Amino acid sequence: MKLEVVTLSDSQKAQNDIIGKIRDLINFKNLEPGDKLPAERTLSEKFEVTRSNVRDAIQKLEFYGLLKSIPQSGTFVANIGVIAMNGMIDDILRLESSDFKSLVETRILLELKTVRLASLRRTEEDLKNIKAALDAYKEKALSGEDAVQEDLLFHLAIAKASGNSTINMFMLTITPQIIIDFGKYHVCNIDQAVVGIQEHNDIYDAIKKQDPVLAKQKMKDHFKILYQYCYKVE
């Protein structure tokens, strides 16, 4: 399994442009909650973009609860008033890409809760997935290769084991930008990657023992250097 990494700036600008046009269309046609939007093909022709671009914009608005897609039926305005919807879309369009410090802080807050839940709820299948990710990370780190993706796959396996779909979704949302920033800021050198093997082992063992206190502490220990590094980044 590999994580695909893309540059977000250009695609985000295009996506925001389409979101703005969808908002304008909803206002122009006076669409109410429950009203149906035109089909993706119609929107792509009207906005002169690809259907994939339209789909991405719709999915983002769905993520924020502003639209709702129903298979075989279409996309509908969610049950929210037009004033609130316009305000939320304006906020979405003003959002900037998260800076590295914010991503690290968010990740730490999420994972300290995630690892605790994972230690309480993990199944045998979850343990197999976490161990497989751990072994893949160990192999890359010991060979001197870049193991950032394997590192994050290990943490994503823990997020899945938490049994909390919302936390899992947030982790999947922030992970691509974390990978980009790790490379941009040269966060991990080979020595740190090798040290990470034992730290990952400690986290895995605590989850296996179903010890939430120990699991949380081992995750804190694991993030110590990253957290310090974060505050040195301008």
Side-chain angles (χ1 to χ4, degrees), residues 111-119 158 203 207 215-216 219:
E111 293 214 52
L112 292 180
K113 173 63 72 175
T114 298
V115 75
R116 182 180 181 280
L117 292 175
S119 67
I158 293 174
I203 294 168
I207 294 173
K216 183 176 180 180
M219 187 65 80

Side-chain angles (χ1 to χ4, degrees), residues 121-139:
R121 299 174 177 175
R122 94 309 185 266
T123 64
E124 290 302 316
E125 184 65 25
D126 289 327
L127 284 178
K128 290 179 182 178
N129 292 334
I130 296 171
K131 185 62 164 60
L134 170 58
D135 290 342
Y137 172 82
K138 180 178 180 180
E139 181 179 351

Side-chain angles (χ1 to χ4, degrees), residues 38-93:
E40 285 182 5
R41 178 182 296 176
T42 302
L43 292 176
S44 68
E45 293 173 355
K46 181 177 181 62
F47 300 154
E48 298 181 339
V49 296
T50 66
R51 291 183 65 179
S52 176
N53 291 147
V54 171
R55 189 175 303 116
D56 289 343
I58 288 174
Q59 287 176 346
K60 186 169 185 177
L61 290 173
E62 280 191 280
F63 176 81
Y64 287 103
L66 300 177
L67 297 178
K68 182 176 180 60
S69 292
I70 300 176
Q72 310 303 319
S73 297
T75 302
F76 300 83
V77 179
N79 187 25
I80 183 172
V82 65
I83 294 176
M85 183 198 69
N86 281 323
M88 290 181 67
I89 290 180
D90 287 343
D91 287 340
I92 292 169
L93 295 178

